[in-house]
Structure formats: C-alpha cells, structure tokens
Amino acid sequence: MEGLWDCEAGVRLLAARHAPLTDTTRERLCHLRDDPIETAEVRAAALTRLAGATATARP
C-alpha cells in the first residue's frame, strides 16, 4: 500500500495494480488517475483498478 505514495513511477505502477482495495487506497488511486503529471501507465493502472472495484462492489 505504501507504494502508492512512492517517488518511483515503477513502484507506484506495481502498487496501483496490486495494493489491497481499501477506502484509503481507493482515494489514492483516484488521485493517481486524475494527476496530470503522473505517468500514463500509472494513471491507466489506477483507472483500471477503480473500474474493476466499481464493477465488483456490492451494495
């Protein structure tokens, strides 16, 4: 989970793909997805995780 805040894009990418989805990580993934200075790969990974989380969320 700490990897979502790392200074290295590769670490953030790995974390965006694999960090457990909690309220905190979802909030950080939203930030990564919307950050215009984040790498395209990290933004795409965050978007994919959030889309998957929405699709599998239970009411």
Side-chain angles (χ1 to χ4, degrees), residues 8 15-16 28 47 57-58:
E8 296 289 332
R28 181 62 179 163
L47 176 64
R58 295 181 184 256

Side-chain angles (χ1 to χ4, degrees), residues 25-48:
T25 58
R26 282 184 184 91
E27 182 178 330
R28 181 62 179 163
L29 287 169
C30 286
H31 174 79
L32 293 173
R33 176 198 63 198
D34 299 335
D35 186 348
I37 62 171
E38 184 55 81
T39 67
E41 294 85 3
V42 172
R43 290 172 55 200
L47 176 64
T48 300

